[in-house]
């Protein structure tokens, strides 16, 4: 960015004063990004930068030890008086962060997850790190006892982050830890949906997905840097889940649409998907099990009993409802994959209509399997 004119959103992002009454590191500058957000396709998102990015003990880092621009390094007295060239220097130091003196103890565990889960890295410029609040604070966020100060930092930072995300080409945002997930949803940045859980040993982590106009979001509740008991196996399983989500994530220009696998960013099959026969159904469901951790095949929302996937079979239409559960799909695929000629029995539903489809030839309940025949039959039979 040095030698170029910063865009308006970056001028506004840098050329502002810290919110009053907040414990921002004196002499620091707002961190618009760790790494080059202008070229990154993937971003991790945190709450705010560490004071260690600017301080050694109580002293500002200087010279070869400096990680980011400070008022002293810029030769400036205040941020609101920075020239465009000085703003460009702030942005350039942020863009070059991982080539300068990165705080590896914090970033390297996330970079390993990025590489395994998305193929991106901070160190080759394909990934960057952003924050809801761009100011480094002392004490750290979790020890700021004044709720009004926290609120002021978020109210100040989130609008700038939104402007940045709207301007950049970042398509996927990763959220590490329950606190980040909570703050992102609380700030109204995106609405996240719980889609499952990973449990390895004593560590259990809830999984979340969501999408905004320009980005897809993937989050998890365990903090991989600080949660006790986070093992290599846990990180491997988390990376595998992220990889499955990122493969099915559409490009930024079509967020919310269906990717090449047919599975949307929330892990659901597309609504009104029409299939022909058992073989095609089993193929789609098997792929869904492999690429998604969603608990149901469709978006349950306020009502899960809506038709989601239809299958044409022996002249009949069979519909699977949105709330058909993952465990039921697993049992169905296992039982039918090698025996496509297994008959499906049609029995009476709770209201007496003979349209409830059981994916076996026996009259037995199939918990979590919600499939119905259209039209209904006059008497129980098989299809």
């Amino acid at each position: 960015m040095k030698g170029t004119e910063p865009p308006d959103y970056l001028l506004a992002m840098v050329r502002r004063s810290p919110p009053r009454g907040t414990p921002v590191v004196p002499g620091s500058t707002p961190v618009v990004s760790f790494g080059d957000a202008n070229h990154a396709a993937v971003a991790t998102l945190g709450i705010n930068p560490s004071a260690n990015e600017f301080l050694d003990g109580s002293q500002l880092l200087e010279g070869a030890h400096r990680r980011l621009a400070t008022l002293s390094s810029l030769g400036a007295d205040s941020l609101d008086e920075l020239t465009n060239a000085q703003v460009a220097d702030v942005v350039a130091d942020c863009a070059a962060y991982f080539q300068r003196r990165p705080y590896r103890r914090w970033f390297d565990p996330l970079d390993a997850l990025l590489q395994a889960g998305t193929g991106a890295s901070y160190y080759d410029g394909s990934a960057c790190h952003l924050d809801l609040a761009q100011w480094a604070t002392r004490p750290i966020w979790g020890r700021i006892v004044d709720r009004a100060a926290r609120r002021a930092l978020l109210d100040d930072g989130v609008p700038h982050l939104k402007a940045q995300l709207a301007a950049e080409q970042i398509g996927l945002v990763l959220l590490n830890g329950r606190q980040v997930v909570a703050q992102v949803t609380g700030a109204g940045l995106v609405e996240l949906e719980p889609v499952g859980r990973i449990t390895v040993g004593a560590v259990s982590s809830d999984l979340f997905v969501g999408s905004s106009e320009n980005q897809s979001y993937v989050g998890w509740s365990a903090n991989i840097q600080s949660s006790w008991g986070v093992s290599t196996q846990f990180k491997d399983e988390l990376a595998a889940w992220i990889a499955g989500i990122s493969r099915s994530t559409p490009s930024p220009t079509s967020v919310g649409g269906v990717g090449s696998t047919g599975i949307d960013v929330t892990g659901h099959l597309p609504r009104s998907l029409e299939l022909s026969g058992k073989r095609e159904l089993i193929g789609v469901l098997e792929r869904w099990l492999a690429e998604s951790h969603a608990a149901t095949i469709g978006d349950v929302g306020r009502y899960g009993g809506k038709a989601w996937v239809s299958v044409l079979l022996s002249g009949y239409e069979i519909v699977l409802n949105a709330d058909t559960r993952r465990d039921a799909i697993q049992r169905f695929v296992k039982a039918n994959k090698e025996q496509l000629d297994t008959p499906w029995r049609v029995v009476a539903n709770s209201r007496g209509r003979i349209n409830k489809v059981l994916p076996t030839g026996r009259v037995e309940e199939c918990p979590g399997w919600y499939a119905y025949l259209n039209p209904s039959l006059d008497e129980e039979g098989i299809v």
Side-chain angles (χ1 to χ4, degrees):
M1 183 63 73
K2 285 188 177 182
T4 65
E5 187 81 2
D8 288 345
Y9 77 92
L10 285 178
L11 289 171
M13 208 170 184
V14 174
R15 198 182 281 151
R16 73 191 205 263
S17 299
R20 289 181 177 273
T22 58
V24 171
V25 173
S28 66
T29 57
V31 184
V32 300
S33 63
F34 292 92
D36 190 352
N38 190 46
H39 291 95
V42 181
T44 52
L45 181 62
I47 297 178
N48 79 313
S50 167
N52 292 331
E53 303 295 354
F54 292 97
L55 296 176
D56 179 9
S58 60
Q59 300 296 314
L60 280 174
L61 296 170
E62 296 181 350
H65 298 288
R66 181 174 59 81
R67 293 189 168 99
L68 296 162
T70 64
L71 286 177
S72 176
S73 73
L74 295 168
D77 294 323
S78 64
L79 291 167
D80 60 352
E81 296 180 352
L82 294 182
T83 65
N84 286 5
Q86 288 172 318
V87 171
D89 285 345
V90 172
V91 176
D93 278 1
C94 290
Y97 174 84
F98 291 102
Q99 285 70 54
R100 187 181 179 92
R101 189 170 170 258
Y103 189 37
R104 287 184 173 274
R105 182 178 177 183
W106 197 89
F107 281 107
D108 280 7
L110 275 176
D111 189 70
L113 188 67
L114 275 167
Q115 292 188 49
T118 70
S121 173
Y122 298 131
Y123 296 97
D124 67 6
S126 56
C128 68
H129 180 81
L130 306 173
D131 286 292
L132 290 165
Q134 294 84 41
W135 301 102
T137 58
R138 191 171 185 183
I140 62 173
W141 185 269
R143 295 179 183 174
I144 300 176
V145 296
D146 185 352
R147 292 185 178 181
R150 287 191 184 192
R151 186 74 262 163
L153 287 164
L154 290 173
D155 288 345
D156 170 76
V158 171
H160 289 284
L161 175 63
K162 287 181 176 179
Q164 183 178 30
L165 289 173
E168 307 291 4
Q169 294 301 307
I170 294 167
L172 180 64
V173 181
L174 305 184
L175 313 175
N176 173 47
R178 188 176 300 280
Q179 192 176 53
V180 176
V181 168
Q183 294 293 350
V184 163
T185 55
L189 192 63
V190 68
E191 184 175 341
L192 298 172
E193 176 187 2
V195 293
R197 178 175 296 177
I198 292 175
T199 300
V200 177
V203 176
S204 184
S205 180
D206 295 321
L207 306 172
F208 304 87
V209 297
S211 62
S212 63
E213 183 177 355
N214 298 300
Q215 283 81 33
S216 299
Y217 289 78
V218 176
W220 52 92
S221 61
N223 188 312
I224 66 166
Q225 292 124 320
S226 61
S227 292
W228 178 86
V230 172
S231 63
T232 299
Q233 182 184 351
F234 175 87
K235 293 177 184 177
D236 288 345
E237 290 201 18
L238 179 59
W241 174 71
I242 294 171
I245 291 293
S246 61
R247 281 196 301 268
S248 62
T249 298
S251 67
T253 58
S254 60
V255 168
V258 177
S260 60
T261 63
I263 299 170
D264 68 18
V265 70
T266 64
H268 297 133
L269 290 170
R271 189 171 185 179
S272 301
L273 179 63
E274 297 181 354
L275 305 174
S276 298
K278 295 180 183 179
R279 186 182 299 276
E280 187 173 2
L281 173 64
I282 291 171
V284 167
L285 294 180
E286 190 172 29
R287 188 168 73 245
W288 177 76
L289 289 170
E291 298 183 1
S292 169
H293 278 71
T296 58
I297 64 169
D299 182 4
V300 174
R302 295 183 179 180
Y303 176 62
K306 48 184 173 281
W308 203 265
V309 173
S310 66
V311 186
L312 293 177
L313 184 63
S314 301
Y316 292 95
E317 179 187 39
I318 298 172
V319 297
L320 273 67
N321 286 352
D323 54 355
T324 301
R325 298 202 310 258
R326 185 177 196 85
D327 56 347
I329 296 296
Q330 289 171 329
R331 290 192 298 270
F332 166 75
V333 170
K334 182 178 181 180
N336 286 265
K337 183 178 180 181
E338 303 300 332
Q339 299 181 17
L340 292 174
D341 58 348
T342 299
W344 291 1
R345 185 167 293 277
V346 184
V347 299
N349 66 15
S350 59
R351 298 182 180 181
R353 290 185 63 195
I354 303 175
N355 70 344
K356 184 176 182 179
V357 178
L358 304 178
T360 68
R362 300 181 298 276
V363 181
E364 59 182 22
E365 289 300 316
C366 301
W369 176 269
Y370 304 113
Y372 299 90
L373 191 70
N374 182 31
S376 59
L377 301 181
D378 295 328
E379 58 183 21
E380 294 187 1
I382 59 173
V383 292

